[in-house]
Amino acid sequence: MELPRTLPDETLFSRIVRYLSLSGELKEQCLTALVGNRRAVIHPYLTADLTAISRFTSESALDLLCNQTLRPLFSHYLPRYKQIICDCSISTNELIRACQLSTFRECESLAVKYCPLCAVDDIQKAGIAYWHCAHQIPGVEVCSTHKVWLVHHALNDREHVSASFLPIPKQYEEPCENITVKFAQFAESKRRFIQKNPMNPFDFERYKSLLIDKGFATKTGRIKRIELMKELYELSDKILLPSNPLRITSSQDFRYVYSLLEGSKQVHPFKHLLLDFFLTHIQQSKSHLRRKDIGKLRNNDASKLEANCCDLLLRGLSMAQVGRELGKSRCYVKAVALKNDIPVNLKPKTITEDLKKSVVAMAYKGFHRSVIAKKYCISSGSVELIISTTEGLVDWRKKCKVDSFRRRYKRQILRFCHDNPNAWRQDVKKECEAAFFWLYFHHPEWLERHLPLPHETQYVNRVNWDEKDRELSKYIKSILESAEHPICRTELDRMLGGHGWLIAKKEKLPLTLAAYYQYNQKKH
């Protein structure tokens, strides 16, 4: 008995089926010869008992494992069980248990997949259609060569191998999205890379660096789960069929991404393929750029728009015309004109250059905009417009406000401590809550220096143990004198009320213990 020679990208399962189809041998006889068990189960892509099967092939058991099964893919993404999965002599049950297929929350029902157009090509080239390894990768639903959906053939719990159980060629093309084809090509290239580099360890830290680069994690390592799950959910919805259990159930399924990004967890290889494909092949959207990059883009856009606005105003166009041209409001055009000292024809001419100087002078002194507006009979919006278009004035007013808060809150804390010299820190916190917390977050060193000194905890001994010792020594004398046999200390403590005095506090009761030992010796 010898299995047929392997065809390009053929699974070992397919070779056994071809042998049954060509030889006409009974399935029970074939399984008995191959693995020594007439009721053995041959898994379609995680074939076990390779040491026994290799005796009927020209390849070694390791060659069968690497090139004709998906065991390298599972061992790479399940490093904790890599040694067991790569053992060529283990049985099917041990292999399935090591690959964690029964413990994964998301797992496909057992089936074999094939491309009908690949089956046609296989018949033309090799004379027979067969099962391809690339089609069996979990989560791959499309043929990366012909770009059509794969056909699923569900398998019975035990009846896997049978004669003539080979793909059926068909001529049809069902359209699929380009992203699905790209994922299939990525999964196949990943499988071949793992086959050629079996000793390359799985690098979990690579995910973290890619997530930070893509804007889905902070530099401290905090994952932005809401944004990430939304993108992964949309991606899985495109590359998987609606009936596939590997699909993400919703964009709020945060447990899906938690188990994937938790380094100690063992998850289905499809999850790793999905995340790796997303981080390396999906174009980064503008909404997920880092804040610094978003700020740069916004600043560049704002600078171009402002320059265009100034150019149109210098040509002599009215503010209304410039606003319509740019798609911006008249207030925006007015603000740009004031900021760049471009004269505009406004009727009535209320805000003159002298008025602007007066408003700016009061603003530098720290007056509120409503006070300035009331003095000059203009609106608060006009005052705010002048302030915001004066370079450096906004930052100066912010600084003045912070300085005002600091002076006011420091004075409030010092005054309370002066008026209440015996106050505790909790009293300061309760009575000056706003001042306490503002200084706690902005000037903690100053607050620590000027708060009352913390009070040391004072221990109050509420039990007079000397008196308690004298009372108990008299009481236990009467108990021990009336007893007919010796009483242990635990039983005596229980008779006193079970307080644990004679056990936990015995060093505080010397008279009582002396009486106890004296009367017990007499009983003996």
Side-chain angles (χ1 to χ4, degrees):
M1 174 182 175
E2 185 175 355
L3 295 181
R5 295 183 61 182
T6 182
L7 298 173
D9 194 41
E10 186 180 17
T11 64
L12 182 57
F13 172 85
S14 176
R15 292 178 67 184
I16 297 173
V17 173
R18 284 202 295 126
Y19 173 79
L20 283 174
S21 304
L22 296 173
S23 66
E25 190 175 331
L26 292 177
K27 180 182 72 174
E28 290 77 8
Q29 295 175 345
C30 176
L31 293 176
T32 303
L34 282 175
V35 297
N37 184 359
R38 60 187 296 271
R39 301 184 70 247
V41 175
I42 305 297
H43 198 279
Y45 55 84
L46 294 175
T47 310
D49 298 304
L50 298 181
T51 303
I53 296 176
S54 64
R55 295 178 300 163
F56 305 96
T57 67
S58 58
E59 302 100 320
S60 66
L62 187 60
D63 289 337
L64 297 178
L65 185 147
C66 292
N67 301 318
Q68 299 176 38
T69 71
L70 296 185
R71 287 166 69 168
L73 186 71
F74 278 78
S75 65
H76 179 75
Y77 289 118
L78 299 171
R80 186 186 301 176
Y81 305 98
K82 183 172 185 176
Q83 186 175 359
I84 302 175
I85 296 174
C86 293
D87 186 356
C88 297
S89 61
I90 62 174
S91 63
T92 301
N93 290 338
E94 292 174 311
L95 179 59
I96 298 301
R97 196 178 303 115
C99 291
Q100 303 291 293
L101 290 180
S102 60
T103 61
F104 292 140
R105 187 185 67 163
E106 304 86 0
C107 189
E108 289 180 309
S109 57
L110 190 60
V112 281
K113 299 174 286 186
Y114 71 94
C115 168
L117 299 184
C118 282
V120 175
D121 292 346
D122 293 340
I123 291 176
Q124 293 176 352
K125 296 176 181 179
I128 191 171
Y130 57 90
W131 306 106
H132 288 252
C133 277
H135 298 159
Q136 314 309 320
I137 300 175
V140 172
E141 299 284 359
V142 171
C143 175
S144 59
T145 304
H146 296 98
K147 303 178 181 179
V148 297
W149 293 101
L150 299 176
V151 178
H152 288 244
H153 194 294
L155 294 175
N156 195 308
D157 290 341
R158 295 196 61 84
E159 298 296 330
H160 296 178
V161 177
S162 61
S164 303
F165 181 51
L166 294 169
I168 302 173
K170 296 180 182 178
Q171 284 287 358
Y172 84 101
E173 292 187 11
E174 187 175 348
C176 58
E177 293 190 28
N178 189 40
I179 189 70
T180 313
V181 179
K182 287 183 178 179
F183 175 75
Q185 293 171 346
F186 167 78
E188 172 60 11
S189 63
K190 194 73 176 179
R191 181 182 74 91
R192 294 195 179 278
F193 174 80
I194 293 171
Q195 282 180 341
K196 294 177 181 178
N197 303 274
M199 302 306 294
N200 188 34
F202 175 62
D203 185 12
F204 178 76
E205 296 298 325
R206 175 172 165 271
Y207 285 159
K208 292 184 178 180
S209 60
L210 287 173
L211 286 168
I212 293 173
D213 292 339
K214 290 289 184 177
F216 289 100
T218 63
K219 291 183 178 180
T220 58
R222 186 184 68 83
I223 306 300
K224 300 176 183 178
R225 300 179 188 274
I226 296 177
E227 294 89 341
L228 180 60
M229 274 308 304
K230 181 181 177 183
E231 295 290 337
L232 289 178
Y233 171 71
E234 293 176 357
L235 178 60
S236 72
D237 189 52
K238 293 177 182 177
I239 67 176
L240 294 175
L241 294 172
S243 59
N244 197 316
L246 292 176
R247 281 174 53 130
I248 303 177
T249 54
S250 71
S251 59
Q252 303 296 317
D253 188 9
F254 300 115
R255 189 171 62 169
Y256 188 98
V257 71
Y258 173 78
S259 61
L260 179 59
L261 298 175
E262 185 66 28
S264 60
K265 301 289 183 181
Q266 302 294 317
V267 299
H268 199 287
F270 169 74
K271 286 188 177 184
H272 291 285
L273 292 174
L274 179 69
L275 181 62
D276 201 351
F277 175 69
F278 172 72
L279 294 176
T280 55
H281 288 71
I282 301 300
Q283 183 66 32
Q284 184 180 12
S285 62
K286 186 177 180 180
S287 60
H288 295 112
L289 292 172
R290 285 180 288 181
R291 290 182 179 179
K292 184 173 70 174
D293 299 332
I294 293 174
K296 289 180 181 179
L297 290 174
R298 288 177 178 173
N299 291 336
N300 292 336
D301 295 342
S303 301
K304 292 178 182 178
L305 186 62
E306 186 175 325
N308 196 10
C309 181
C310 293
D311 184 50
L312 294 174
L313 286 171
L314 292 174
R315 290 183 193 176
L317 274 68
S318 66
M319 287 195 298
Q321 289 175 319
V322 174
R324 286 193 295 270
E325 193 74 22
L326 298 177
K328 304 294 287 185
S329 66
R330 186 172 175 271
C331 291
Y332 171 81
V333 179
K334 182 180 177 182
V336 173
L338 290 172
K339 182 179 178 180
N340 295 277
D341 295 324
I342 299 176
V344 292
N345 296 322
L346 297 175
K347 294 181 180 181
K349 296 183 179 180
T350 304
I351 303 178
T352 61
E353 289 298 322
D354 293 336
L355 181 63
K356 278 182 59 179
K357 292 178 182 179
S358 302
V359 169
V360 169
M362 290 190 69
Y364 266 112
K365 293 177 181 178
F367 285 94
H368 196 275
R369 58 180 175 272
S370 61
V371 176
I372 302 174
K374 187 175 181 180
K375 179 176 180 179
Y376 294 107
C377 300
I378 57 178
S379 67
S380 296
S382 299
V383 176
E384 187 63 38
L385 185 62
I386 295 172
I387 292 173
S388 61
T389 54
T390 303
E391 186 176 358
L393 182 53
V394 174
D395 294 334
W396 169 256
R397 285 171 66 83
K398 286 181 179 179
K399 181 181 180 300
C400 292
K401 187 176 181 180
V402 171
D403 292 342
S404 176
F405 272 125
R406 183 175 62 254
R407 290 192 300 271
R408 184 201 313 170
Y409 288 148
K410 284 183 178 180
R411 186 173 61 252
Q412 186 177 345
I413 295 288
L414 292 173
R415 184 178 299 161
F416 180 83
C417 293
H418 180 268
D419 295 341
N420 302 275
N422 297 323
W424 290 34
R425 292 191 171 200
Q426 289 296 327
D427 299 331
V428 180
K429 179 181 176 182
K430 182 178 179 181
E431 298 298 329
C432 310
E433 185 176 0
F436 180 91
F437 281 105
W438 193 92
L439 291 170
Y440 178 79
F441 286 111
H442 295 87
H443 298 280
E445 299 85 3
W446 185 94
L447 183 64
E448 182 64 29
R449 288 198 306 269
H450 292 84
L451 282 177
L453 294 175
H455 291 257
E456 294 184 1
T457 304
Q458 295 181 355
Y459 176 74
V460 179
N461 189 359
R462 295 196 175 117
V463 180
N464 189 337
W465 287 104
D466 294 335
E467 183 180 350
K468 179 72 68 177
D469 188 22
R470 288 192 295 270
E471 293 176 0
L472 287 176
S473 62
K474 295 176 183 179
Y475 184 62
I476 68 166
K477 284 179 183 179
S478 60
I479 296 175
L480 294 172
E481 286 176 353
S482 60
E484 298 179 355
H485 55 83
I487 302 175
C488 67
R489 194 151 38 94
T490 304
E491 184 179 353
L492 183 59
D493 185 81
R494 193 180 303 113
M495 296 171 68
L496 294 174
H499 303 291
W501 291 332
L502 297 180
I503 301 170
K505 303 292 184 180
K506 61 181 181 179
E507 69 277 359
K508 297 179 185 276
L509 305 169
L511 297 177
T512 304
L513 287 177
Y516 167 75
Y517 289 125
Q518 179 183 356
Y519 277 87
N520 261 6
Q521 288 176 359
K522 289 181 180 179
K523 295 292 181 182
H524 284 290

